[in-house]
Amino acid sequence: MTDPKPPTRADVAARWHALVRGETTREAVHAWTVHWVEGEGAFADFAPLVETGLQYLHGFDLCRDPARPSVLWHGEAGEGEWYHADDAVAAGLAHWQRMCERHDADPEGWARAIES
């Protein structure tokens, strides 16, 4: 079986917006990213900033144990708490969108800036 087509920035943005609006869960977004972050899809040739967006989305379901804050896991918070607060998820989207805008305004300058 061949891998599905790699996600685009529009795909990442749509999932992220749905998460911020409460139309999907952190767990569902994480599950969507697994192939592209942990699996064979991680070797795909992504458009700029898609991989960054996938990494963010992949980690938004991280939970921690308040009694042992260094213990993190993917999945439902259960007895724990979300590592990334809801406002951090929304702020991450705004930050990623600004990075995308900077890239689109000057792709070569953006590439030079991240290489240095």
Side-chain angles (χ1 to χ4, degrees), residues 1-2 9 15 22 26 30 35 50-52 55-56 65 74 86 88-91 98-99 104-105:
M1 179 175 118
T2 61
R9 278 200 298 186
R15 302 283 175 139
R26 294 167 184 249
H30 171 85
H35 174 75
V50 170
E51 186 173 7
T52 302
Q55 291 286 339
Y56 273 107
D65 181 345
H74 285 283
D86 291 343
V89 174
R98 285 190 303 275
M99 287 193 309
D104 294 347

Side-chain angles (χ1 to χ4, degrees), residues 1 9 15 29 31 33-35 37 44 49 62 71 74 82 85-88 92 95 99 102 105 107 113:
M1 179 175 118
R9 278 200 298 186
R15 302 283 175 139
V29 170
T33 66
V34 167
H35 174 75
V37 175
L49 294 161
L62 283 173
V71 176
H74 285 283
W82 295 118
D86 291 343
D87 59 342
H95 174 74
M99 287 193 309
R102 278 187 237 131

Side-chain angles (χ1 to χ4, degrees), residues 3-54:
D3 288 340
K5 184 178 175 188
T8 63
R9 278 200 298 186
D11 297 328
V12 170
R15 302 283 175 139
W16 210 328
H17 280 284
L19 179 60
V20 168
R21 290 189 303 260
E23 298 168 358
T24 190
T25 65
R26 294 167 184 249
E27 297 87 358
V29 170
H30 171 85
W32 177 71
T33 66
V34 167
H35 174 75
W36 305 107
V37 175
E38 299 177 25
E40 291 295 318
F43 299 104
D45 186 22
F46 297 109
L49 294 161
V50 170
E51 186 173 7
T52 302
L54 290 169

